[in-house]
Coordinates of all heavy atoms in Angstrom, one line a residue:
M843 N -88.4 -54.0 -206.4 CA -88.1 -54.7 -205.2 C -86.7 -55.3 -205.2 O -86.3 -55.7 -206.3 CB -89.1 -55.7 -204.8 CG -90.4 -55.2 -204.2 SD -90.1 -54.5 -202.6 CE -89.6 -55.9 -201.7
L844 N -86.1 -55.3 -204.1 CA -84.8 -56.0 -203.9 C -84.9 -57.1 -203.0 O -85.7 -57.0 -202.0 CB -83.8 -55.0 -203.3 CG -83.0 -54.0 -204.1 CD1 -82.2 -53.1 -203.2 CD2 -82.1 -54.7 -205.1
C845 N -84.2 -58.2 -203.2 CA -84.2 -59.2 -202.2 C -83.5 -58.7 -201.0 O -82.4 -58.2 -201.0 CB -83.5 -60.4 -202.8 SG -83.3 -61.7 -201.6
P846 N -84.1 -58.9 -199.8 CA -83.5 -58.4 -198.5 C -82.3 -59.3 -198.1 O -81.6 -58.9 -197.2 CB -84.7 -58.5 -197.5 CG -85.6 -59.5 -198.1 CD -85.5 -59.5 -199.6
Y847 N -82.2 -60.4 -198.7 CA -81.1 -61.4 -198.3 C -79.9 -61.2 -199.2 O -78.8 -61.2 -198.6 CB -81.6 -62.8 -198.4 CG -82.8 -63.1 -197.6 CD1 -84.1 -63.2 -198.1 CD2 -82.7 -63.3 -196.2 CE1 -85.2 -63.5 -197.4 CE2 -83.8 -63.5 -195.4 CZ -85.0 -63.7 -196.0 OH -86.1 -63.9 -195.2
C848 N -80.1 -61.1 -200.5 CA -78.9 -61.0 -201.3 C -78.9 -59.8 -202.2 O -78.0 -59.6 -203.0 CB -78.8 -62.3 -202.2 SG -80.1 -62.4 -203.4
S849 N -79.9 -58.9 -202.1 CA -80.0 -57.7 -202.9 C -80.2 -57.9 -204.4 O -79.9 -57.1 -205.2 CB -78.8 -56.8 -202.7 OG -78.8 -56.4 -201.3
S850 N -80.6 -59.1 -204.8 CA -80.8 -59.4 -206.2 C -82.1 -58.7 -206.7 O -83.1 -58.6 -205.9 CB -80.9 -60.9 -206.4 OG -81.4 -61.2 -207.7
F851 N -82.2 -58.4 -208.0 CA -83.4 -57.9 -208.5 C -84.2 -59.0 -209.2 O -85.3 -58.7 -209.7 CB -83.1 -56.8 -209.6 CG -82.2 -55.7 -209.1 CD1 -81.0 -55.4 -209.6 CD2 -82.7 -54.9 -208.0 CE1 -80.2 -54.4 -209.1 CE2 -81.9 -53.9 -207.5 CZ -80.7 -53.6 -208.1
E852 N -83.7 -60.2 -209.3 CA -84.4 -61.2 -210.0 C -85.4 -61.9 -209.1 O -85.2 -63.0 -208.6 CB -83.3 -62.2 -210.5 CG -82.4 -61.6 -211.6 CD -81.7 -62.8 -212.3 OE1 -82.4 -63.5 -213.1 OE2 -80.5 -62.9 -212.2
L853 N -86.5 -61.3 -209.0 CA -87.6 -61.7 -208.1 C -88.8 -62.2 -209.0 O -89.1 -61.7 -210.0 CB -88.0 -60.6 -207.2 CG -86.9 -60.0 -206.4 CD1 -87.4 -58.8 -205.6 CD2 -86.2 -60.9 -205.5
I854 N -89.5 -63.2 -208.5 CA -90.7 -63.7 -209.1 C -91.8 -63.4 -208.1 O -91.7 -63.6 -206.9 CB -90.6 -65.2 -209.3 CG1 -89.4 -65.6 -210.2 CG2 -91.9 -65.7 -209.9 CD1 -89.1 -67.0 -210.2
L855 N -92.9 -62.9 -208.7 CA -94.1 -62.6 -207.8 C -94.6 -64.0 -207.5 O -94.8 -64.9 -208.4 CB -95.1 -61.8 -208.6 CG -94.7 -60.4 -208.9 CD1 -95.9 -59.8 -209.7 CD2 -94.5 -59.6 -207.6
N856 N -94.9 -64.2 -206.2 CA -95.2 -65.6 -205.8 C -96.5 -65.6 -205.0 O -96.6 -66.2 -204.0 CB -94.0 -66.1 -205.0 CG -94.0 -67.6 -204.8 OD1 -94.6 -68.3 -205.6 ND2 -93.4 -68.1 -203.8
G857 N -97.5 -65.0 -205.6 CA -98.9 -65.0 -204.9 C -99.0 -64.1 -203.7 O -98.0 -63.4 -203.4
K858 N -100.1 -64.1 -203.1 CA -100.4 -63.2 -201.9 C -100.3 -64.0 -200.7 O -100.8 -65.1 -200.5 CB -101.7 -62.5 -202.1 CG -101.8 -61.6 -203.3 CD -101.6 -60.2 -203.0 CE -101.8 -59.4 -204.2 NZ -101.7 -58.0 -204.1
H859 N -99.9 -63.3 -199.7 CA -99.8 -63.8 -198.3 C -101.3 -63.7 -197.8 O -102.1 -63.0 -198.3 CB -98.9 -63.0 -197.5 CG -98.4 -63.6 -196.2 ND1 -98.8 -63.1 -195.0 CD2 -97.6 -64.7 -196.0 CE1 -98.2 -63.9 -194.1 NE2 -97.5 -64.9 -194.6
R860 N -101.5 -64.4 -196.7 CA -102.9 -64.2 -196.0 C -103.3 -62.8 -195.8 O -104.4 -62.5 -195.9 CB -102.9 -65.0 -194.7 CG -103.3 -66.4 -194.8 CD -103.2 -67.1 -193.5 NE -101.8 -67.3 -193.1 CZ -101.3 -67.1 -191.9 NH1 -102.1 -66.7 -190.9 NH2 -100.1 -67.2 -191.6
N861 N -102.3 -62.0 -195.4 CA -102.7 -60.6 -195.0 C -102.6 -59.7 -196.3 O -102.5 -58.5 -196.1 CB -101.7 -60.1 -193.9 CG -100.3 -60.2 -194.4 OD1 -100.0 -60.4 -195.6 ND2 -99.4 -60.0 -193.5
Q862 N -102.6 -60.3 -197.5 CA -102.7 -59.6 -198.7 C -101.4 -58.9 -199.1 O -101.3 -58.2 -200.1 CB -103.8 -58.5 -198.7 CG -105.2 -59.0 -198.6 CD -105.5 -60.0 -199.8 OE1 -105.4 -59.6 -201.0 NE2 -105.9 -61.2 -199.5
K863 N -100.3 -59.2 -198.4 CA -99.1 -58.6 -198.8 C -98.5 -59.5 -199.9 O -98.7 -60.7 -199.9 CB -98.1 -58.7 -197.6 CG -98.4 -57.6 -196.6 CD -97.2 -57.3 -195.8 CE -97.5 -56.1 -194.9 NZ -97.3 -56.4 -193.5
Q864 N -97.9 -58.8 -200.9 CA -97.3 -59.5 -202.0 C -96.1 -60.4 -201.6 O -95.3 -59.9 -200.9 CB -96.8 -58.5 -203.0 CG -96.3 -59.1 -204.3 CD -97.3 -59.9 -205.1 OE1 -98.3 -59.4 -205.5 NE2 -97.0 -61.2 -205.3
K865 N -96.1 -61.6 -202.0 CA -95.0 -62.5 -201.7 C -94.1 -62.5 -202.9 O -94.5 -62.5 -204.1 CB -95.5 -63.9 -201.5 CG -96.0 -64.1 -200.1 CD -96.1 -65.6 -199.7 CE -97.1 -66.4 -200.5 NZ -97.2 -67.8 -200.0
Y866 N -92.8 -62.6 -202.6 CA -91.8 -62.7 -203.7 C -90.9 -63.9 -203.4 O -90.7 -64.4 -202.3 CB -90.9 -61.5 -203.6 CG -91.6 -60.2 -204.0 CD1 -92.2 -59.4 -203.0 CD2 -91.5 -59.7 -205.3 CE1 -92.9 -58.3 -203.4 CE2 -92.1 -58.6 -205.6 CZ -92.8 -57.8 -204.7 OH -93.4 -56.7 -205.0
F867 N -90.3 -64.4 -204.6 CA -89.4 -65.5 -204.5 C -88.2 -65.0 -205.3 O -88.2 -64.5 -206.4 CB -90.0 -66.7 -205.2 CG -89.1 -67.9 -205.3 CD1 -88.8 -68.7 -204.2 CD2 -88.4 -68.2 -206.4 CE1 -87.9 -69.7 -204.2 CE2 -87.5 -69.2 -206.5 CZ -87.3 -70.0 -205.4
C868 N -87.0 -65.2 -204.6 CA -85.7 -64.7 -205.2 C -85.1 -65.8 -206.0 O -84.9 -66.9 -205.5 CB -84.8 -64.3 -204.1 SG -83.2 -63.8 -204.8
K869 N -84.9 -65.6 -207.3 CA -84.3 -66.6 -208.2 C -82.8 -66.8 -207.8 O -82.3 -67.9 -208.1 CB -84.4 -66.1 -209.6 CG -85.7 -66.4 -210.3 CD -85.6 -66.5 -211.7 CE -85.7 -65.1 -212.4 NZ -85.7 -65.2 -213.9
N870 N -82.2 -65.8 -207.2 CA -80.8 -65.9 -206.9 C -80.5 -66.7 -205.7 O -79.8 -67.7 -205.8 CB -80.3 -64.5 -206.8 CG -78.8 -64.5 -206.7 OD1 -78.1 -65.2 -207.4 ND2 -78.2 -63.7 -205.7
C871 N -81.2 -66.4 -204.6 CA -80.8 -67.2 -203.3 C -82.0 -68.2 -203.0 O -81.8 -68.8 -201.9 CB -80.6 -66.2 -202.2 SG -81.9 -65.3 -201.7
K872 N -83.0 -68.2 -203.8 CA -84.1 -69.2 -203.6 C -84.9 -69.0 -202.3 O -85.5 -69.9 -201.8 CB -83.6 -70.6 -203.6 CG -82.6 -71.0 -204.7 CD -83.3 -71.1 -206.0 CE -82.3 -71.6 -207.1 NZ -82.6 -71.0 -208.4
K873 N -84.8 -67.8 -201.7 CA -85.6 -67.5 -200.5 C -86.9 -66.8 -200.9 O -87.0 -66.1 -201.9 CB -84.8 -66.6 -199.6 CG -83.7 -67.4 -198.9 CD -83.1 -66.6 -197.7 CE -82.2 -67.4 -196.9 NZ -80.8 -67.1 -197.1
Q874 N -87.8 -67.0 -200.0 CA -89.1 -66.4 -200.2 C -89.3 -65.3 -199.1 O -88.9 -65.5 -198.0 CB -90.2 -67.4 -200.1 CG -91.6 -66.9 -200.5 CD -92.6 -68.0 -200.5 OE1 -92.8 -68.7 -201.5 NE2 -93.3 -68.2 -199.4
F875 N -90.0 -64.2 -199.5 CA -90.2 -63.2 -198.5 C -91.4 -62.3 -198.9 O -91.8 -62.4 -200.0 CB -88.9 -62.3 -198.3 CG -88.5 -61.6 -199.6 CD1 -88.9 -60.3 -199.9 CD2 -87.7 -62.3 -200.5 CE1 -88.6 -59.7 -201.1 CE2 -87.3 -61.7 -201.7 CZ -87.8 -60.4 -202.0
I876 N -91.9 -61.6 -197.9 CA -93.0 -60.7 -198.3 C -92.5 -59.2 -198.3 O -91.5 -58.9 -197.6 CB -94.2 -60.8 -197.3 CG1 -93.8 -60.7 -195.9 CG2 -94.9 -62.1 -197.5 CD1 -94.9 -60.5 -194.9
Q877 N -93.2 -58.4 -199.1 CA -92.8 -57.0 -199.2 C -93.0 -56.4 -197.8 O -93.9 -56.6 -197.1 CB -93.8 -56.4 -200.2 CG -93.3 -55.0 -200.6 CD -94.2 -54.5 -201.8 OE1 -95.2 -55.0 -202.1 NE2 -93.6 -53.5 -202.4
R878 N -92.0 -55.5 -197.5 CA -92.1 -54.8 -196.2 C -91.7 -53.4 -196.4 O -91.3 -53.0 -197.4 CB -91.3 -55.6 -195.2 CG -89.8 -55.8 -195.7 CD -89.1 -56.6 -194.7 NE -87.7 -56.7 -195.2 CZ -86.7 -57.4 -194.5 NH1 -87.0 -57.9 -193.3 NH2 -85.5 -57.4 -195.0
K879 N -91.8 -52.7 -195.3 CA -91.4 -51.3 -195.3 C -90.0 -51.1 -195.7 O -89.1 -52.0 -195.4 CB -91.6 -50.6 -193.9 CG -93.0 -50.1 -193.8 CD -93.1 -49.3 -192.6 CE -92.8 -47.9 -192.8 NZ -93.0 -47.0 -191.6
Y880 N -89.7 -50.0 -196.4 CA -88.3 -49.8 -196.8 C -87.4 -49.6 -195.7 O -87.6 -48.7 -194.8 CB -88.3 -48.5 -197.7 CG -89.1 -48.6 -198.9 CD1 -90.0 -47.6 -199.2 CD2 -89.1 -49.7 -199.8 CE1 -90.9 -47.7 -200.3 CE2 -89.9 -49.8 -200.9 CZ -90.8 -48.8 -201.1 OH -91.6 -48.9 -202.2
S881 N -86.4 -50.3 -195.6 CA -85.3 -50.2 -194.6 C -84.3 -49.1 -195.0 O -84.3 -48.7 -196.2 CB -84.6 -51.6 -194.4 OG -83.9 -51.9 -195.6
E882 N -83.5 -48.7 -194.0 CA -82.5 -47.8 -194.4 C -81.5 -48.4 -195.4 O -81.0 -47.7 -196.2 CB -81.7 -47.4 -193.1 CG -82.5 -46.5 -192.1 CD -83.0 -45.2 -192.8 OE1 -82.2 -44.6 -193.5 OE2 -84.1 -44.9 -192.6
E883 N -81.3 -49.7 -195.3 CA -80.4 -50.4 -196.2 C -81.0 -50.3 -197.6 O -80.3 -50.1 -198.6 CB -80.3 -51.8 -195.7 CG -79.1 -52.5 -196.3 CD -79.0 -53.9 -195.8 OE1 -79.9 -54.4 -195.1 OE2 -78.0 -54.6 -196.1
F884 N -82.3 -50.5 -197.7 CA -82.9 -50.5 -199.0 C -82.8 -49.1 -199.6 O -82.5 -48.9 -200.8 CB -84.4 -50.9 -198.9 CG -85.2 -50.8 -200.2 CD1 -85.1 -51.9 -201.1 CD2 -85.8 -49.6 -200.6 CE1 -85.8 -51.8 -202.3 CE2 -86.5 -49.6 -201.8 CZ -86.5 -50.7 -202.6
K885 N -83.0 -48.1 -198.8 CA -82.9 -46.7 -199.3 C -81.5 -46.4 -199.8 O -81.3 -45.8 -200.9 CB -83.2 -45.7 -198.1 CG -84.6 -45.6 -197.7 CD -84.8 -44.5 -196.7 CE -86.2 -44.7 -196.0 NZ -86.4 -43.7 -195.0
A886 N -80.5 -46.9 -199.1 CA -79.1 -46.7 -199.5 C -78.8 -47.4 -200.8 O -78.2 -46.8 -201.7 CB -78.2 -47.2 -198.4
Q887 N -79.4 -48.6 -201.0 CA -79.2 -49.4 -202.2 C -79.9 -48.7 -203.4 O -79.4 -48.6 -204.5 CB -79.8 -50.8 -202.0 CG -78.9 -51.7 -201.2 CD -79.6 -53.0 -200.9 OE1 -80.8 -53.1 -200.8 NE2 -78.8 -54.0 -200.6
A888 N -81.1 -48.2 -203.1 CA -81.9 -47.5 -204.1 C -81.2 -46.2 -204.6 O -81.1 -46.0 -205.8 CB -83.3 -47.2 -203.6
L889 N -80.6 -45.5 -203.7 CA -79.9 -44.3 -204.1 C -78.6 -44.6 -204.8 O -78.3 -43.9 -205.8 CB -79.6 -43.4 -202.8 CG -80.8 -42.8 -202.1 CD1 -80.4 -42.1 -200.9 CD2 -81.5 -41.8 -203.1
A890 N -77.9 -45.6 -204.4 CA -76.7 -46.0 -205.1 C -77.1 -46.4 -206.5 O -76.4 -46.1 -207.5 CB -76.0 -47.2 -204.4
L891 N -78.2 -47.2 -206.7 CA -78.6 -47.6 -208.0 C -79.0 -46.5 -208.9 O -78.7 -46.4 -210.1 CB -79.8 -48.6 -207.8 CG -80.1 -49.5 -209.0 CD1 -79.0 -50.5 -209.2 CD2 -81.4 -50.2 -208.8
A892 N -79.7 -45.5 -208.3 CA -80.2 -44.3 -209.0 C -79.0 -43.5 -209.5 O -78.9 -43.0 -210.6 CB -81.0 -43.5 -208.1
N893 N -77.9 -43.5 -208.7 CA -76.7 -42.8 -209.1 C -76.0 -43.5 -210.3 O -75.4 -42.8 -211.1 CB -75.7 -42.7 -207.9 CG -76.2 -41.7 -206.9 OD1 -76.9 -40.8 -207.2 ND2 -75.7 -41.8 -205.7
R894 N -76.1 -44.8 -210.3 CA -75.5 -45.6 -211.3 C -76.2 -45.6 -212.6 O -75.7 -45.4 -213.7 CB -75.2 -47.0 -210.8 CG -73.9 -47.6 -211.2 CD -73.6 -48.8 -210.4 NE -74.4 -49.9 -210.7 CZ -74.9 -50.8 -209.8 NH1 -74.7 -50.6 -208.5 NH2 -75.7 -51.7 -210.1
L895 N -77.5 -45.8 -212.5 CA -78.3 -46.1 -213.7 C -79.3 -44.9 -214.1 O -79.9 -44.9 -215.1 CB -79.2 -47.3 -213.5 CG -78.5 -48.6 -213.1 CD1 -79.5 -49.7 -212.8 CD2 -77.5 -49.1 -214.2
G896 N -79.4 -44.0 -213.1 CA -80.3 -42.9 -213.3 C -81.6 -43.2 -212.6 O -81.9 -44.4 -212.4
T897 N -82.3 -42.2 -212.1 CA -83.4 -42.4 -211.2 C -84.6 -43.2 -211.9 O -85.1 -44.1 -211.3 CB -84.0 -41.0 -210.8 OG1 -82.9 -40.3 -210.1 CG2 -85.1 -41.1 -209.8
Q898 N -84.9 -42.8 -213.2 CA -86.0 -43.6 -213.9 C -85.7 -45.1 -213.9 O -86.6 -45.9 -213.6 CB -86.1 -43.0 -215.3 CG -86.9 -41.7 -215.4 CD -88.3 -41.8 -214.6 OE1 -88.9 -42.8 -214.6 NE2 -88.7 -40.7 -214.1
K899 N -84.5 -45.4 -214.3 CA -84.2 -46.8 -214.5 C -84.2 -47.5 -213.1 O -84.8 -48.6 -213.0 CB -82.8 -47.0 -215.1 CG -82.5 -48.4 -215.5 CD -83.3 -48.8 -216.8 CE -83.3 -50.3 -217.0 NZ -84.4 -50.7 -217.8
A900 N -83.7 -46.9 -212.1 CA -83.7 -47.5 -210.7 C -85.1 -47.7 -210.2 O -85.4 -48.7 -209.7 CB -82.9 -46.5 -209.8
C901 N -86.0 -46.7 -210.5 CA -87.4 -46.8 -210.1 C -88.1 -48.0 -210.8 O -88.9 -48.7 -210.2 CB -88.1 -45.5 -210.4 SG -87.6 -44.2 -209.3
E902 N -87.8 -48.2 -212.1 CA -88.4 -49.3 -212.8 C -88.0 -50.6 -212.2 O -88.8 -51.6 -212.0 CB -87.9 -49.3 -214.2 CG -88.7 -48.4 -215.1 CD -88.1 -48.4 -216.5 OE1 -87.6 -49.4 -217.1 OE2 -88.1 -47.3 -217.1
I903 N -86.7 -50.8 -211.9 CA -86.2 -52.0 -211.3 C -86.8 -52.3 -209.9 O -87.2 -53.4 -209.6 CB -84.6 -52.0 -211.3 CG1 -84.1 -51.9 -212.7 CG2 -84.1 -53.2 -210.5 CD1 -82.6 -51.7 -212.7
L904 N -86.8 -51.2 -209.1 CA -87.2 -51.4 -207.7 C -88.7 -51.3 -207.5 O -89.2 -51.5 -206.4 CB -86.5 -50.3 -206.9 CG -85.0 -50.4 -206.9 CD1 -84.4 -49.1 -206.2 CD2 -84.5 -51.6 -206.2
E905 N -89.4 -50.9 -208.6 CA -90.9 -50.7 -208.5 C -91.3 -49.7 -207.5 O -92.1 -49.9 -206.6 CB -91.6 -52.1 -208.2 CG -91.4 -53.0 -209.5 CD -91.9 -54.4 -209.1 OE1 -92.8 -54.5 -208.3 OE2 -91.5 -55.3 -209.8
I906 N -90.6 -48.6 -207.5 CA -91.0 -47.5 -206.6 C -91.1 -46.3 -207.4 O -90.7 -46.2 -208.6 CB -89.9 -47.2 -205.5 CG1 -88.5 -46.9 -206.1 CG2 -89.9 -48.4 -204.5 CD1 -87.5 -46.6 -205.0
H907 N -91.8 -45.2 -206.9 CA -92.0 -44.0 -207.6 C -90.8 -43.2 -207.6 O -90.1 -43.1 -206.6 CB -93.2 -43.3 -207.0 CG -93.8 -42.3 -208.0 ND1 -93.4 -41.0 -208.1 CD2 -94.8 -42.4 -208.9 CE1 -94.1 -40.4 -209.0 NE2 -95.0 -41.2 -209.5
A908 N -90.6 -42.4 -208.7 CA -89.4 -41.5 -208.8 C -89.4 -40.5 -207.6 O -88.3 -40.2 -207.1 CB -89.4 -40.8 -210.1
N909 N -90.6 -40.1 -207.2 CA -90.7 -39.1 -206.1 C -90.1 -39.7 -204.8 O -89.6 -38.9 -204.0 CB -92.1 -38.7 -205.9 CG -92.6 -37.7 -207.0 OD1 -91.8 -37.1 -207.7 ND2 -93.9 -37.5 -207.0
T910 N -90.3 -41.0 -204.7 CA -89.7 -41.6 -203.5 C -88.2 -41.4 -203.4 O -87.7 -41.1 -202.3 CB -90.1 -43.1 -203.5 OG1 -91.4 -43.3 -203.8 CG2 -89.8 -43.8 -202.2
I911 N -87.6 -41.6 -204.5 CA -86.1 -41.4 -204.5 C -85.8 -40.0 -204.3 O -84.8 -39.7 -203.6 CB -85.5 -42.0 -205.8 CG1 -85.5 -43.6 -205.7 CG2 -84.1 -41.5 -206.1 CD1 -84.7 -44.3 -206.8
Y912 N -86.5 -39.1 -205.0 CA -86.2 -37.7 -204.8 C -86.3 -37.3 -203.3 O -85.5 -36.5 -202.8 CB -87.2 -36.8 -205.6 CG -86.9 -36.9 -207.1 CD1 -87.9 -37.1 -208.0 CD2 -85.6 -36.7 -207.6 CE1 -87.7 -37.2 -209.4 CE2 -85.4 -36.8 -209.0 CZ -86.4 -37.1 -209.8 OH -86.2 -37.2 -211.2
N913 N -87.4 -37.8 -202.6 CA -87.6 -37.5 -201.2 C -86.4 -38.1 -200.4 O -85.9 -37.4 -199.4 CB -88.9 -38.2 -200.7 CG -90.1 -37.4 -201.1 OD1 -90.0 -36.2 -201.5 ND2 -91.2 -38.1 -201.2
W914 N -85.9 -39.2 -200.7 CA -84.8 -39.8 -199.9 C -83.5 -39.0 -200.2 O -82.7 -38.9 -199.3 CB -84.5 -41.2 -200.4 CG -85.7 -42.2 -199.9 CD1 -86.6 -41.9 -198.9 CD2 -85.9 -43.5 -200.4 NE1 -87.4 -43.0 -198.8 CE2 -87.0 -44.0 -199.7 CE3 -85.3 -44.3 -201.4 CZ2 -87.6 -45.2 -199.9 CZ3 -85.9 -45.6 -201.6 CH2 -86.9 -46.0 -200.9
R915 N -83.4 -38.5 -201.4 CA -82.2 -37.7 -201.7 C -82.1 -36.4 -200.9 O -81.0 -36.0 -200.5 CB -82.2 -37.3 -203.2 CG -81.7 -38.3 -204.1 CD -80.6 -37.7 -205.1 NE -79.9 -38.7 -205.9 CZ -80.4 -39.2 -207.0 NH1 -81.5 -38.7 -207.6 NH2 -79.7 -40.1 -207.7
K916 N -83.3 -35.8 -200.7 CA -83.3 -34.5 -200.0 C -82.8 -34.6 -198.6 O -82.3 -33.6 -198.0 CB -84.7 -34.0 -200.0 CG -85.1 -33.2 -201.2 CD -86.4 -32.5 -201.1 CE -87.5 -33.4 -201.6 NZ -88.9 -32.8 -201.4
K917 N -83.0 -35.8 -197.9 CA -82.6 -35.9 -196.5 C -81.1 -36.0 -196.3 O -80.4 -36.5 -197.2 CB -83.3 -37.1 -196.0 CG -84.8 -36.8 -195.7 CD -85.6 -38.1 -195.4 CE -87.1 -37.7 -195.5 NZ -87.9 -38.9 -195.5
Ligands
ZN421 ZN1 -82.1 -63.3 -202.8

């Protein structure tokens, strides 16, 4: 996961929201947010990260499946 506010990877799992969505707390900007659908911005960041570090490493950091990145690449 990436922080939607500052794009930091330094996130802390911060319990569950009422609707069972995972809550995150960003160590960098101190904001709290819940996991949401991947935005176009997130996709672009994920692909840029994959180009820089390799797909496997990017997937570990972002907690997404490698196939997700492959699918985004194809488009
Ligand atoms: Zn942040």
Side-chain angles (χ1 to χ4, degrees):
M843 278 298 291
L844 273 177
C845 174
Y847 301 102
C848 69
S849 301
S850 168
F851 304 120
E852 292 199 69
L853 307 176
I854 301 166
L855 295 177
N856 199 22
K858 296 264 183 175
H859 199 248
R860 267 177 290 138
N861 59 11
Q862 293 302 304
K863 285 200 174 123
Q864 181 65 57
K865 281 201 292 188
Y866 292 89
F867 177 79
C868 177
K869 280 204 273 184
N870 188 43
C871 67
K872 316 286 188 216
K873 285 194 171 102
Q874 189 173 273
F875 59 95
I876 53 169
Q877 193 170 16
R878 53 185 183 179
K879 272 189 87 175
Y880 301 128
S881 62
E882 289 303 315
E883 199 180 8
F884 178 85
K885 288 185 194 178
Q887 285 170 335
L889 289 175
L891 198 68
N893 286 337
R894 216 164 70 222
L895 305 174
T897 302
Q898 278 309 327
K899 192 72 199 158
C901 289
E902 276 173 38
I903 294 170
L904 300 170
E905 293 171 28
I906 57 177
H907 200 274
N909 284 347
T910 310
I911 285 190
Y912 290 131
N913 284 337
W914 291 342
R915 272 230 173 88
K916 272 189 272 176
K917 284 169 193 168

